[in-house]
Amino acid sequence: MADKKPAKKKGAARVSRFYAISGDKLTGKRKACPKCGRGVFLAEHKNRLTCGNCHYTEFRK
């Protein structure tokens, strides 16, 4: 029998990474996906923005 490694715990998604609080309003820090709508943000890469849900991609100049 092989030794089992302890399972890694996944950290909870930190909402503070995606939203900024200004007064009584929340504003998104990242651009939202135009196909998926509000609540689905585009991942920021070196040369592009991509959606992990629908694979929408915008290339930067």
Side-chain angles (χ1 to χ4, degrees):
M1 214 184 239
D3 293 329
K4 289 188 177 182
K5 293 182 181 178
K8 290 184 181 180
K9 291 184 181 180
K10 292 184 180 180
R14 294 191 333 227
V15 177
S16 62
R17 290 191 306 180
F18 302 110
Y19 293 100
I21 301 170
S22 56
D24 292 339
K25 293 189 176 187
L26 286 175
T27 55
K29 289 183 179 179
R30 295 183 181 177
K31 186 175 178 181
C33 179
K35 287 185 177 181
C36 298
R38 294 172 44 194
V40 179
F41 297 106
L42 297 177
E44 297 179 359
H45 298 278
K46 214 186 253 189
N47 59 349
R48 67 192 185 280
L49 299 170
T50 58
C51 176
N53 192 30
C54 68
H55 305 290
Y56 173 80
T57 303
E58 290 183 2
F59 290 97
R60 296 180 183 170
K61 290 184 178 182

